[in-house]
């Protein structure tokens, strides 16, 4: 379970809508309020919700969650000093008016939605879930909606932005109070359509609870996060929960894998299908051409047949764009405008993001961090060159150890040179993490495999080895701005480090080091 003291990103300004009294909250939760001689009364107003005592503001309800290392109730005194008007938890207290519920996390999302005035009911909210492609589809939705003259908000692990809001994303899906507060702020800014990423962690922890979706998009499902989910069936069950009828009005389902087809067969709400393999799909992607300048394809739909020319790289973006177009068109917007919007989008941070500093080879930074991502991205990079593909890869610590060996094996099967280095090891030993990936890479008996500690050194090595016509990809972290090792974190942007390595690259040909 998420640690109760894990900080959220900075909170936004107070919204102008809706207040609940503590009595209202008690009625909503069906939990009596224990006042215990506190000067606050059931008529006192609650204007916000927080799960982090350090970020409580006057008027907040503090929801004290149990966690791995701490219980939120350990910090109820701090919440009171900062102005909390009540506490919701599974434990009683005399420090604040207390509402005791059996499962505080289960009520967190609906409570936050109620306190902030059910903001998702006042706009069209599009949620995107799946193993890969969530960020891309969210950006594509935003572009398609903007081209339809909608005032949009975007909530992703890369950034959160609206007409008067812009800050880096911290989690793929924000904690429930921050999600509802952000939606309320967007509503106050005149936003009428929002795209956001719904991760499996976010769904499992109830962060999306209390949010009503005009449409949900399912991209795909492949083995990932199996340190968190016990098996693929449970992983699928969590993802499929986004599409319950009481939560989602329309499902837009990519049916190109077995889990998409399974979801399409069981969904109990309105649905449209998207596919690059099944001509019977409502939105069918055909004649895909992916090249170094972008991706083109033809989209067959209930509204007609349309050519689409994306600036985004990689064939996967054809289906991602089609899912976004389908969601926007099927919710009453103009499909021609939607297509024009996705065609204008010039890039997505950390997703096959090109780094061009005048070098005689191609260099990319990409978020691919699992087998499905590698099987999509690496063949595309291979298609761009008749020379070598050089891949810098690694494995993140404290995450899904079962995918480390396959990461190395897949990369070595599809690249010519694989440089195994460090990502964020968190609490694990970096050398141990590298050893698993190296073992997988060498077992493929295909690429030249090099172990290079230190991510900056590995990137410098890759750039130094690259010759005219080669393709270099630095994989695994994408847009992430920070490396984390133990309790220490350091700023580290792969894109900036790649650019610096190119600018300071020695012009001499370097010899391949032994692995």
């Amino acid at each position: 379970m998420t640690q109760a003291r894990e900080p959220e990103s900075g909170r936004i300004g107070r919204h102008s809508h809706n207040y609940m009294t503590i009595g209202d909250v008690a009625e909503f939760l069906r939990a009596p309020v224990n006042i215990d001689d506190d000067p606050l009364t059931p008529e006192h107003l609650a204007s916000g919700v927080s799960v982090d005592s350090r970020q409580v503001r006057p008027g907040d309800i503090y929801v004290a969650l149990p966690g791995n290392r701490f219980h939120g109730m350990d910090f109820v005194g701090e919440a009171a000093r900062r102005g909390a008007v009540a506490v919701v938890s599974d434990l009683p207290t005399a420090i604040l008016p207390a509402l005791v519920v059996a499962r505080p996390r289960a009520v967190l999302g609906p409570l936050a939605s109620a306190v902030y005035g059910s903001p998702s009911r006042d706009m069209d909210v599009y949620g995107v879930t799946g193993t890969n492609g969530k960020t891309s589809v969210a950006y594509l939705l935003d572009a398609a909606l903007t081209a339809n003259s909608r005032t949009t908000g975007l909530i992703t692990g890369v950034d959160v932005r609206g007409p008067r809001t812009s800050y880096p994303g911290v989690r793929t899906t924000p904690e429930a109070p921050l999600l509802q507060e952000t939606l309320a702020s967007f509503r106050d800014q005149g936003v009428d359509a929002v795209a956001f990423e719904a991760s499996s962690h976010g769904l499992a922890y109830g962060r999306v609870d209390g949010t009503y979706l005009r449409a949900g998009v399912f991209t795909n499902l492949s083995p990932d996060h199996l340190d968190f989910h016990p098996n693929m069936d449970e992983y699928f069950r969590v993802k499929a929960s986004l599409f319950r009828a009481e939560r989602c009005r329309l499902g837009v389902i990519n049916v190109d894998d077995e889990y998409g087809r399974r979801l399409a067969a069981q969904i109990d709400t309105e649905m449209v299908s998207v596919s690059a393999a099944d001509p019977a799909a409502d939105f069918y992607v055909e004649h895909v051409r992916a090249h170094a300048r972008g991706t083109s394809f033809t989209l067959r739909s209930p509204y007609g047949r349309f050519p689409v020319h994306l600036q985004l790289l990689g064939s996967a973006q054809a289906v991602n764009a089609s899912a976004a177009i389908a969601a926007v068109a099927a919710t009453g917007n103009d499909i021609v405008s939607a297509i024009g919007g996705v065609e204008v989008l010039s890039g997505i941070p950390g997703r096959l993001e090109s780094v061009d500093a005048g070098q005689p080879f191609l260099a990319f930074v990409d978020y691919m961090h699992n087998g499905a991502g590698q099987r999509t991205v690496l063949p595309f990079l291979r298609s761009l060159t008749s020379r070598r593909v050089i891949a810098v890869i690694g494995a993140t610590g404290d995450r899904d150890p079962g995918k480390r060996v396959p990461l190395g094996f897949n990369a070595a099967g599809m690249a010519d040179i694989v440089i195994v280095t460090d990502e964020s090891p968190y609490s694990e030993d970096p050398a141990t993490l590298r050893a698993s990936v190296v073992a997988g890479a060498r077992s493929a008996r295909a690429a030249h495999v090099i172990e290079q500690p230190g991510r900056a050194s590995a990137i410098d090595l890759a750039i130094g080895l690259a010759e005219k016509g080669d393709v270099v990809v630095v994989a695994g972290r994408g847009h992430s701005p920070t490396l984390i090792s133990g309790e220490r974190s350091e700023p580290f942007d792969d894109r900036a480090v790649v650019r610096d390595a190119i600018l300071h690259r020695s012009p001499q040909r370097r010899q391949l080091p032994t692995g």
Side-chain angles (χ1 to χ4, degrees), residues 23-69:
D24 292 335
V25 173
E27 184 176 352
F28 180 82
L29 297 177
R30 298 182 181 178
V33 57
N34 174 21
I35 298 296
D36 199 40
D37 298 325
D38 193 281
L40 296 170
T41 69
E43 288 72 41
H44 202 89
L45 292 176
S47 55
V49 179
S50 180
V51 293
D52 188 335
S53 63
R54 297 164 294 188
Q55 295 188 5
V56 165
R57 296 185 297 199
D60 275 356
I61 297 169
Y62 174 52
V63 181
L65 301 174
N68 286 338
R69 295 191 295 167

Side-chain angles (χ1 to χ4, degrees), residues 53 56-58 74-85 95-96:
S53 63
V56 165
R57 296 185 297 199
D74 298 336
F75 310 102
V76 67
E78 180 181 21
R81 288 191 296 274
R82 290 182 176 273
V85 295
I95 296 175
L96 281 172

